[in-house]
Amino acid sequence: SPDDGKVIPRNGLRISYVAQQEKFREKQTIFDAASEIMHNAGGDNLALLSEMLARHNFENLEQEVNLLSGGWKKKLSILS
């Protein structure tokens, strides 16, 4: 059954929670949303954040999150 079994983590495994519904602020930019999430997780390397967003095809970091499709919002949530 889905509630049985073992979890055997590999080295470097990171487990996190991604909510079903994203909770971005109105008029919040992609960069601001990602940096806020990173800061709340204890990180503050903005150069690394910009590189990570670029590698995942977030081109206009000043675009408002509310203008993204549901898939791009989810991608931003997972990356952050």
Side-chain angles (χ1 to χ4, degrees):
S1 82
D3 294 330
D4 294 336
K6 292 182 180 180
V7 175
I8 303 172
R10 297 184 341 196
N11 289 339
L13 175 69
R14 189 180 94 183
I15 298 173
S16 59
Y17 170 78
V18 178
Q20 182 72 22
Q21 295 293 321
E22 295 81 17
K23 296 185 180 184
F24 298 111
R25 291 190 318 273
E26 188 173 332
K27 303 231 180 234
Q28 188 173 32
T29 66
I30 292 170
F31 185 81
D32 289 342
S35 62
E36 182 178 299
I37 294 168
M38 179 183 241
H39 177 75
N40 290 341
D44 61 356
N45 188 335
L46 298 181
L48 177 63
L49 176 63
S50 294
E51 180 183 322
M52 180 181 66
L53 290 169
R55 264 188 289 153
H56 289 88
N57 300 317
F58 285 96
E59 295 173 358
N60 180 2
L61 302 183
E62 294 304 315
Q63 181 178 359
E64 293 179 12
V65 175
N66 62 338
L67 299 177
L68 296 173
S69 69
W72 280 99
K73 287 178 186 175
K74 186 59 69 182
K75 188 174 185 177
L76 180 60
S77 294
I78 291 169
L79 283 176
S80 305

